[in-house]
PDB file of all heavy atoms in Angstrom:
ATOM      1  N   SER A  13     201.238 -69.705  64.391  1.00 93.00           N
ATOM      2  CA  SER A  13     200.515 -70.533  63.345  1.00 93.00           C
ATOM      3  C   SER A  13     199.989 -69.599  62.197  1.00 93.00           C
ATOM      4  O   SER A  13     199.746 -68.369  62.554  1.00 93.00           O
ATOM      5  CB  SER A  13     199.296 -71.254  63.968  1.00 93.00           C
ATOM      6  OG  SER A  13     198.304 -70.281  64.384  1.00 93.00           O
ATOM      7  N   ARG A  17     198.694 -65.685  62.687  1.00 90.00           N
ATOM      8  CA  ARG A  17     199.325 -64.511  61.927  1.00 90.00           C
ATOM      9  C   ARG A  17     198.141 -63.752  61.139  1.00 90.00           C
ATOM     10  O   ARG A  17     198.101 -62.580  61.135  1.00 90.00           O
ATOM     11  CB  ARG A  17     200.316 -65.005  61.003  1.00 90.00           C
ATOM     12  CG  ARG A  17     201.629 -65.296  61.667  1.00 90.00           C
ATOM     13  CD  ARG A  17     202.740 -65.471  60.690  1.00 90.00           C
ATOM     14  NE  ARG A  17     202.596 -66.521  59.667  1.00 90.00           N
ATOM     15  CZ  ARG A  17     202.929 -67.778  59.803  1.00 90.00           C
ATOM     16  NH1 ARG A  17     203.682 -68.224  60.874  1.00 90.00           N
ATOM     17  NH2 ARG A  17     202.724 -68.689  58.716  1.00 90.00           N
ATOM     18  N   ALA A  25     195.021 -54.185  60.451  1.00 84.00           N
ATOM     19  CA  ALA A  25     194.373 -53.408  59.475  1.00 84.00           C
ATOM     20  C   ALA A  25     193.203 -52.685  59.991  1.00 84.00           C
ATOM     21  O   ALA A  25     192.961 -51.517  59.601  1.00 84.00           O
ATOM     22  CB  ALA A  25     193.929 -54.360  58.292  1.00 84.00           C
ATOM     23  N   LEU A  27     192.881 -51.585  63.083  1.00 78.00           N
ATOM     24  CA  LEU A  27     193.336 -50.487  63.911  1.00 78.00           C
ATOM     25  C   LEU A  27     193.857 -49.345  63.027  1.00 78.00           C
ATOM     26  O   LEU A  27     193.691 -48.139  63.430  1.00 78.00           O
ATOM     27  CB  LEU A  27     194.485 -50.941  64.900  1.00 78.00           C
ATOM     28  CG  LEU A  27     193.960 -51.871  65.966  1.00 78.00           C
ATOM     29  CD1 LEU A  27     195.212 -52.501  66.723  1.00 78.00           C
ATOM     30  CD2 LEU A  27     193.206 -51.152  66.965  1.00 78.00           C
ATOM     31  N   LEU A  34     193.629 -35.609  59.515  1.00 92.00           N
ATOM     32  CA  LEU A  34     192.574 -34.927  58.711  1.00 92.00           C
ATOM     33  C   LEU A  34     192.710 -35.046  57.218  1.00 92.00           C
ATOM     34  O   LEU A  34     191.801 -35.105  56.591  1.00 92.00           O
ATOM     35  CB  LEU A  34     192.713 -33.406  59.173  1.00 92.00           C
ATOM     36  CG  LEU A  34     191.991 -33.060  60.531  1.00 92.00           C
ATOM     37  CD1 LEU A  34     192.119 -31.558  60.776  1.00 92.00           C
ATOM     38  CD2 LEU A  34     190.554 -33.423  60.561  1.00 92.00           C
ATOM     39  N   ALA A  40     189.856 -39.808  52.095  1.00 89.00           N
ATOM     40  CA  ALA A  40     188.979 -40.980  52.147  1.00 89.00           C
ATOM     41  C   ALA A  40     187.488 -40.563  51.775  1.00 89.00           C
ATOM     42  O   ALA A  40     186.759 -41.439  51.243  1.00 89.00           O
ATOM     43  CB  ALA A  40     189.032 -41.604  53.579  1.00 89.00           C
ATOM     44  N   LYS A  64     198.008 -29.859  58.628  1.00 93.00           N
ATOM     45  CA  LYS A  64     199.416 -30.061  59.185  1.00 93.00           C
ATOM     46  C   LYS A  64     199.510 -29.776  60.698  1.00 93.00           C
ATOM     47  O   LYS A  64     200.589 -30.060  61.275  1.00 93.00           O
ATOM     48  CB  LYS A  64     200.447 -29.315  58.418  1.00 93.00           C
ATOM     49  CG  LYS A  64     200.527 -29.818  56.930  1.00 93.00           C
ATOM     50  CD  LYS A  64     201.462 -28.910  56.192  1.00 93.00           C
ATOM     51  CE  LYS A  64     201.503 -29.406  54.670  1.00 93.00           C
ATOM     52  NZ  LYS A  64     202.118 -28.474  53.867  1.00 93.00           N
ATOM     53  N   ASP A  67     197.682 -29.297  66.925  1.00 89.00           N
ATOM     54  CA  ASP A  67     196.745 -29.035  67.918  1.00 89.00           C
ATOM     55  C   ASP A  67     195.772 -27.976  67.319  1.00 89.00           C
ATOM     56  O   ASP A  67     196.100 -27.099  66.571  1.00 89.00           O
ATOM     57  CB  ASP A  67     197.199 -28.513  69.193  1.00 89.00           C
ATOM     58  CG  ASP A  67     198.133 -27.263  69.130  1.00 89.00           C
ATOM     59  OD1 ASP A  67     198.592 -26.871  67.929  1.00 89.00           O
ATOM     60  OD2 ASP A  67     198.296 -26.516  70.079  1.00 89.00           O
ATOM     61  N   ALA A  79     182.278 -30.051  57.561  1.00 95.00           N
ATOM     62  CA  ALA A  79     182.488 -29.720  56.176  1.00 95.00           C
ATOM     63  C   ALA A  79     182.672 -31.043  55.299  1.00 95.00           C
ATOM     64  O   ALA A  79     182.437 -31.088  54.082  1.00 95.00           O
ATOM     65  CB  ALA A  79     183.594 -28.765  55.983  1.00 95.00           C
ATOM     66  N   THR A  97     181.542 -40.641  76.344  1.00 92.00           N
ATOM     67  CA  THR A  97     181.411 -39.529  75.362  1.00 92.00           C
ATOM     68  C   THR A  97     181.054 -38.298  76.002  1.00 92.00           C
ATOM     69  O   THR A  97     180.110 -38.157  76.794  1.00 92.00           O
ATOM     70  CB  THR A  97     180.289 -39.934  74.298  1.00 92.00           C
ATOM     71  OG1 THR A  97     180.611 -41.240  73.709  1.00 92.00           O
ATOM     72  CG2 THR A  97     180.122 -38.917  73.242  1.00 92.00           C
ATOM     73  N   SER A 106     176.494 -22.295  69.633  1.00 53.00           N
ATOM     74  CA  SER A 106     175.233 -21.627  69.799  1.00 53.00           C
ATOM     75  C   SER A 106     174.320 -22.606  70.508  1.00 53.00           C
ATOM     76  O   SER A 106     173.329 -22.107  71.090  1.00 53.00           O
ATOM     77  CB  SER A 106     174.637 -21.406  68.369  1.00 53.00           C
ATOM     78  OG  SER A 106     174.476 -22.492  67.628  1.00 53.00           O
ATOM     79  N   MET A 121     187.319 -20.422  81.055  1.00 35.00           N
ATOM     80  CA  MET A 121     187.515 -21.830  81.087  1.00 35.00           C
ATOM     81  C   MET A 121     187.058 -22.419  79.733  1.00 35.00           C
ATOM     82  O   MET A 121     187.788 -23.338  79.212  1.00 35.00           O
ATOM     83  CB  MET A 121     186.796 -22.515  82.245  1.00 35.00           C
ATOM     84  CG  MET A 121     187.447 -22.370  83.541  1.00 35.00           C
ATOM     85  SD  MET A 121     189.056 -22.974  83.593  1.00 35.00           S
ATOM     86  CE  MET A 121     188.831 -24.768  83.551  1.00 35.00           C
ATOM     87  N   SER A 126     188.576 -25.734  75.185  1.00 35.00           N
ATOM     88  CA  SER A 126     188.329 -26.088  73.773  1.00 35.00           C
ATOM     89  C   SER A 126     189.507 -26.297  72.891  1.00 35.00           C
ATOM     90  O   SER A 126     189.475 -26.346  71.685  1.00 35.00           O
ATOM     91  CB  SER A 126     187.377 -24.965  73.158  1.00 35.00           C
ATOM     92  OG  SER A 126     188.139 -23.789  73.016  1.00 35.00           O
TER      93      SER A 126
END
Side-chain angles (χ1 to χ4, degrees):
S13 70
R17 282 195 304 263
L27 290 171
L34 281 177
K64 293 174 185 169
D67 62 339
T97 301
S106 63
M121 283 302 289
S126 66

